Amino acid sequence: MTTAILARPTFGQRLLGMWLSAGGFLRLLSQRPVGLLGFIGIVFFLLLAFVAPLFVPFQNDPSLVDIYQTPSAAHPLGTDFQGKDVLNQIVFGGRDILTVAILAALVSTAIAITFGSIAAVVGGKVDSTILAITDVVLTLPKLILLIAVAAILRPTGFLFLAVLLGALQWSSLLRQIRSQVLSLKERDYVEAARSLDLGIVHIVFREILPTMRSYIAIHFIFAMTEAMYAQVFIVILGLVPVSGSNWGIMLYFAQGQGALYFRDSIWYILSPILAISLVQLSLVSFASALEDIFNPRLRGSA
Amino acid sequence: MTTAIAAKSQVRTAMNPRRYLGDSWRHPITRAVVKAFLTIWVTTTLTFLLIRLMPGSPVELKIDELIQTSNGSLSYEEAKAIASSLFAINLNAPIHEQYLSFIWNLLHLDIGSSFLSSGTSVTSIILSVLPWTLFSVGTGLLLSFVVGIGLGLLAAYRRDSLLDRVVSTGGSLVSSIPNYLIALMMILFLGVQTHIINFTSMRGAYTPGMQPGFTLAFIGDLFYHASLPITIYFLTQIGHWILSMRSATLSALEEDYVTAARARGLSDGRIRTAYVGRNAVLPLVTQLAISVGFIVGGAAIIEQIFAYQGVGLRLLAAVTQRDYPVIQGIVMLTTIAVVVANLAADLLYSKLDPRIGRAGGAAG
Amino acid sequence: MPVLSVRDLSIDYITRKGPVHAVRDVSFELEKSETLAIIGESGSGKTTLAVGLIRLSPRGTKVTKGEILYTKDGLTTDVRKLDDDDLREYRWAEAAMVFQAALNSFNPVITIWEQFLDTARAHGMKDRQKVRDRADELLDLVHLDAKRVLPAFPHELSGGMKQRVLIALSLMLEPQLVILDEPTTALDILTQRSIIDLLKQLRERLGFSMIFISHDLSIAAELADRMITMYAGRVVEEANVEDMFYRPRHPYSVGLLRAVPRVSGALGNVASIPGSPPDLMRLPVGCSYAPRCPYAIDACRAADPPLVPVDTPKHEAACIRWKHVAEVLGSNAEVPVAEKLA
Amino acid sequence: MNALIELDHVSRTFTTPAGVITAVDSVSLALGQGEAMCLVGESGCGKTTTGRLLTGLLRPSGGRLLYEGKDVWLTKGADLARFRRAVQLVHQDPYASLNPTRTVFQTLSAPLFRHKKASSQRQALSAVTELLQRVDLSPPENFIAKYPHQLSGGQRQRVAIARALTVDPKVIVADEAVSMVDVSIRISLLNLLLALAKEFGVTIVLITHDLAVARYFAARGRIGVMYLGRMVELADTEALVTDPAHPYSAALIAAIPEADPDITRSKTRVELRSAEIPSLLRLPPGCSFHPRCPLAEAGLCDVLVPELLPIPGSREVACHVAVRERTGQRAAVTV
């Protein structure tokens, strides 16, 4: 209740406000078990990818003696075609993928928000050109383009891959953001803010964006799932020079080395599959729970 | 003074030419066709630039390769001439001229010939593989669309029941797992570990030696070979259709014309189809168009995993062999196929929704 | 026997915080060819009641008690006991409900003709030519050109035209009872006038009984024979039109009549009712109008006052101090309340 | 008396997919300080557009908007900002006029901070409390921390009015401000606006389709009747209500149902020649009411667009026949 009164809360009060609303948010989330599971999954994989590698020693020494060992105390998930421990690769395999996914989602969401709002706010010629470009990119078979571009440009670094993926994904989000901003722009309280001469900064950041915060968060998460899908896609197809190790590369080698067809190499190929699937499942279930919470129509009568 | 005003008002309401042009431009069909051509043009230009202007452009690579394989007997000029015929463009001319000749050839469906089997035109290569992808993707997509709509409608009518929860959560989870991982898991569990499905016999688009024709046996064989890719394309989108149809139906059920129809004693069946169903499915038709591009794009990996000879597999082969005319051709023709599908969906939408079909209307 | 007799009807909304009593113990009767106006503001429960009469209550509502007795040619049935097929037959053949034109009561993707055909087919009229003739006749009745209206899509008609087509459609099976929800709200003055005159004309020719619900007193003054005012889900007063307008006995009716200005005649001492509309989630004990009532005493806050007959015939009010209200108003003359309190 | 704010032959056109429409056609209106007047008309008559033109939120396609004698659209910078703040708008829909994610305090304090009317939290709190009392939302503590969805329709409109008052406006345009609020509390909102006019000299223009509300609100002021983008009559309220000059005003007043059985059932109707409302795309030539007008004279009404001309009793009417009968002058023909 306190922050509700203060027009310009200090940093401390803002933190307090966020803490109170976080508590409320968790309560709302707990009413949606699948969403809660998703949230826990995300936290787990973020820790696994960015924190676990600090504590677990990195083993990279192949030992041809124990190739494709089945799960044992020494190797809970068995070993790969070079005798390296699979669990260790899973722990170290998450960081690259999640970084690229987050960066790509940032790129595509940033493009969508900036050009979407510019198209909606400026309108006229600018609006129709942006819309025409978006419609064209929307219908393109993006993955076919990705294959061709990846084959020719051979992206190596994280940033380059993330920008490439981000540059192919922004079109549907841009259209949605444009229509959101358009509808909000026409609202009476925005017109009132204009006639009270409160300034464009106030109108965008205090009147329009707050109502879109949850909308953007949800679609950022969906953008991450799309980036994950596309990234692992081109890695498995071997279109990206293989460096370091991540779940996608594990799958590329597993397929290449015939792990698919040996009976006891199942753990080597199954571990990355499960890891990637669980990340995607957590992201989607959490995002749909957010959609349910923040979409007043679905929330039922107050 | 008053007569002046009267005259002025007459002029204003007279027919103003821009209005007629304005009308035809705004008509949805013309807009959809123009959008289609724009997409094709953008893709062709994009691929054209990609092949030529990227650092270490494949054209230069091809020329060096030709020179080396002929261990020096070919001069740079000769190698360049060969390369240009392979790429169906004249490399000496300045870029914009190359571009114009490239477009001119494209209009005659001549997009160069393959590096490896020189002589076989790119178009013939693509036309031998594109139908299989369109067949498998098309069947999978339509099946998932029809089943998805049915389940979505059912889930909305039985909101918050066990069926609703299972169908919506199950659908969204299946569709969130990357489809190529599901494909791998199918091979792992249904093939290697349990031998339920004999994968090797399903390789390729149809059993070699079968006599292609409209016989039942051949068509049965086609479906047998394509069954796995179709299942994957089905699972990829099914969750999306269920959830979109469910939320569209829920909002349609709250509309006043549904209550009014019930008040008029219309049967539940009639209301479910013509009143709720038809209005709910509208937004999904446009999404169908967009999903075609996504699925066709993703087909490459599915075709590789199941060794199904579609355009995706052929593209991967061309990429590994660095067979650039084929890459260029596949990208363009697939885009054209997707654009045509989108055009069909746009036209279908403007026919389904009268509010768009007849711009303007009597009430003015 | 009255065409419709509603006894102690109660309807609840089921919410996460428990049931909300939207309609509480409503009783009234409607004679043949009589027009009843149900007047109430937001939260009064008038729409919930009207929709409940043909058992069309939306999801999450429950009719907890009460009877809806419908009589045709001497045969009386309780609508609440009709099975699905009979209920479907009852809807439109016996009681037709017309919604507000402003809301989209027509399916936007099919033509007006198809919606006429749907309705006819749902009630066994299979012959297309017969349906077409009936549609032409009905549209003629409401002064519309069938050739222009039938092939049109709903978005191509104006508000006034849509309201006329809805009325025409409601008369297709010559129902004995027509229920109209806010028939003239959101229509312009001249269109509103044409709809009122149309309803008067049709009522004369076809003799159906009519119930209409509205927040607009002037429509009741135009069309109604009898009136009910509702507040917080209960009937607070029931009377003939003249008694309700000139000799109201419930403080809410008095307040409502006094709060509506007129164009013709003296303005009088027009004034609003203090406070704000009732919150059905947190209704006070006793009379729900007490917090806003200038004549409220402690007894009012004890229990819900029942409907009791007052000093004019067929006139009831749910107020224990109705005699005091009569004294405050003074004369029983045909003079608006605002002037009596000037 | 020179007008505080004035529309001088202002027009506004809109380009729609179906063609160009003239929503407002050379309307002139002069308002003095503290005046309470009403703009009345059916939907599509241009009253809302005229309201927007008055607030300066919409640029006219023709004519001038004068504030304190100066053409607003020629001024720049500080003057334009001062004008923009001097005229405020109160909207129709209480459920859309307040930002659902901001509390009453945040909504009301934003303009106070922006225009340096409060520099600290404490000052803002006391200013907001005083504003809430001024719009009869008492005790203010109950409302300060509330979100819009926790208030009733009437309470939200009062917050909207309080928000307009934060910049001490000279003119308030209330666009159907009471039509979505419960009937039983409309009068109290109208009284609040009237008090602003009387005690603080704020000029108020109420736009409404409800002639009865207009008669109450502008009892001591004027009513302007609009039809298809043109001002057809401008007169003192009692004169217009008892003796309407323009046939359209007469038709409206005769057609309105009254909340009194005896009066409304005995009213004499004005029979119009057609119920069809012409579309703004294909306006009839001359006076746009002539196809429906019982007094229309061929050769005159369907050729000449009538101008708003003065008639006895400080009134103006745009109708050749009405002017002729009430002043004995021939219609101003300069053929």
Side-chain angles (χ1 to χ4, degrees), chain D residues 189-200:
Chain D
L189 271 176
L190 295 177
N191 292 345
L192 171 59
L193 290 171
L194 283 170
L196 294 178
K198 214 175 346 24
E199 288 151 34
F200 300 92

Side-chain angles (χ1 to χ4, degrees), chain A residues 4-5 191 195-197 207, chain D residues 52 88 91 99 103 105 115:
Chain A
I5 283 202
E191 189 173 43
S195 78
L196 286 165
D197 190 18
E207 305 281 357
Chain D
R52 289 295 189 287
Q88 288 305 313
H91 295 88
N99 187 329
T103 62
F105 178 81
H115 301 302

Side-chain angles (χ1 to χ4, degrees), chain A residues 1 3-9 187-189 191-199 202 206-208 210-211, chain D residues 52 57 81 84-85 88-89 91 96-103 105 109-111 113-115 121 145 163:
Chain A
M1 213 284 283
T3 47
I5 283 202
L6 306 173
R8 284 206 180 79
R187 291 287 166 78
D188 289 349
Y189 54 80
E191 189 173 43
R194 281 211 335 264
S195 78
L196 286 165
D197 190 18
L198 296 180
H202 170 89
R206 287 279 169 72
E207 305 281 357
I208 291 184
T211 34
Chain D
R52 289 295 189 287
L57 286 170
R84 185 61 54 79
R85 288 200 301 277
Q88 288 305 313
L89 184 63
H91 295 88
S97 63
L98 298 177
N99 187 329
T101 64
R102 288 166 68 79
T103 62
F105 178 81
S109 58
F113 284 117
R114 164 81 180 180
H115 301 302
Q121 296 293 113
R163 176 178 58 190

